[in-house]
Amino acid sequence: MFSLMIVDDHPVVCDALSLFLRQYDIDTVATCGTGKDALRHAESRTLDVALLDVRLPDMDGLLVLEKLVEAVNDLPIVMFSGHENPTYVARAAAMGAVDFLDKSASVAVVAATLVEAVQKRSGRNGSQLLRIQNLMQAPVEPEELPDGMPLTSREAQVLRHMGFGLSNREIANSLRISVETVKEHVQNVLRKLNASDRTAAAVRAVREGLV
């Protein structure tokens, strides 16, 4: 039986999931309503997997994700939200989540995703996180870029991440490069596109189909 920590500030969600997941041999050993509780429980318990809400009352769930990965780097974490916003999903992928579930998912899908996370299998079919993660990691050939976008392959990758709304630190984590290197690429992208700021560059990325 796998041990699960659920981080969600709605007790009914925690209670219902805990009840129904037991039939899939998933034992909820901790339920947390805040990010601080989640961090405390994760460091003091032996866990197989965590299900983490994006929105928490005390902390951004994606910040909790980052802190959990730093504190317990081998703990697979599945994000859970009623808002499957592409930016949330991209940020979750960059910061180390193994999957991202919409709260409309069935208990069977939740259970299967958690089991796959524990067993370190590849993402489920239809996983938006896996799709966006693969897109962010995909190389971009400069000759395939539209006219007026004279970027290197790496600069185009960075621009794609900017289009998803990622910060420099999140881009660095996703591409496994330093933050300083990301800053250099961002400045080159802004200069080459004659973009006034990151927002303008992100809009260009979306308009040109990089995102």
Side-chain angles (χ1 to χ4, degrees):
M1 182 169 277
F2 298 137
S3 59
L4 166 69
M5 176 176 69
I6 301 175
V7 187
D8 192 295
D9 60 328
H10 295 90
V12 66
V13 172
C14 296
D15 292 346
L17 278 174
S18 299
L19 176 64
F20 289 113
L21 287 173
R22 286 190 66 83
Q23 64 185 305
Y24 296 94
D25 290 333
I26 299 172
D27 182 27
T28 302
V29 298
T31 58
C32 307
T34 66
K36 289 181 180 179
D37 284 346
L39 293 168
R40 186 172 65 252
H41 278 288
E43 292 177 348
S44 63
R45 290 176 178 268
T46 300
L47 300 169
D48 293 313
V49 64
L51 186 64
L52 173 61
D53 194 358
V54 169
R55 294 187 175 181
L56 296 169
D58 63 332
M59 298 171 67
D60 177 358
L62 292 164
L63 176 59
V64 179
L65 166 65
E66 180 182 1
K67 290 182 177 295
L68 282 173
V69 169
E70 290 174 354
V72 194
N73 60 18
D74 60 344
L75 175 66
I77 301 169
V78 176
M79 300 305 293
F80 196 47
S81 176
H83 308 276
E84 204 168 357
N85 182 308
T87 296
Y88 288 164
V89 180
R91 291 181 62 203
M95 299 316 296
V98 298
D99 213 330
F100 195 112
L101 285 170
D102 191 280
K103 286 189 175 181
S104 63
S106 68
V107 174
V109 168
V110 174
T113 302
L114 294 173
V115 170
E116 286 186 356
V118 173
Q119 297 177 343
K120 294 180 172 56
R121 288 186 280 163
S122 59
R124 62 194 161 88
N125 291 334
S127 167
Q128 189 179 8
L129 183 140
L130 183 61
R131 180 184 66 79
I132 290 178
Q133 186 175 54
N134 287 340
L135 178 61
M136 292 195 300
Q137 298 296 332
V140 181
E141 297 301 329
E143 58 269 21
E144 296 175 358
L145 294 171
D147 293 339
M149 194 174 275
L151 305 177
T152 67
S153 179
R154 179 64 93 188
E155 288 166 355
Q157 275 188 314
V158 169
L159 176 58
R160 175 176 280 159
H161 282 71
M162 292 165 66
F164 277 115
L166 272 66
S167 67
N168 287 349
R169 186 163 47 83
E170 290 165 342
I171 297 172
N173 199 66
S174 175
L175 295 177
R176 302 293 189 267
I177 57 180
S178 72
V179 174
E180 291 305 315
T181 299
V182 172
K183 289 179 180 178
E184 291 179 10
H185 287 316
V186 169
Q187 290 304 312
N188 288 338
V189 167
L190 296 180
R191 176 177 53 80
K192 289 182 178 182
L193 297 185
N194 196 27
S196 57
D197 54 27
R198 293 177 74 104
T199 300
V203 170
R204 180 80 178 275
V206 174
R207 187 170 67 239
E208 299 292 355
L210 282 176
V211 174

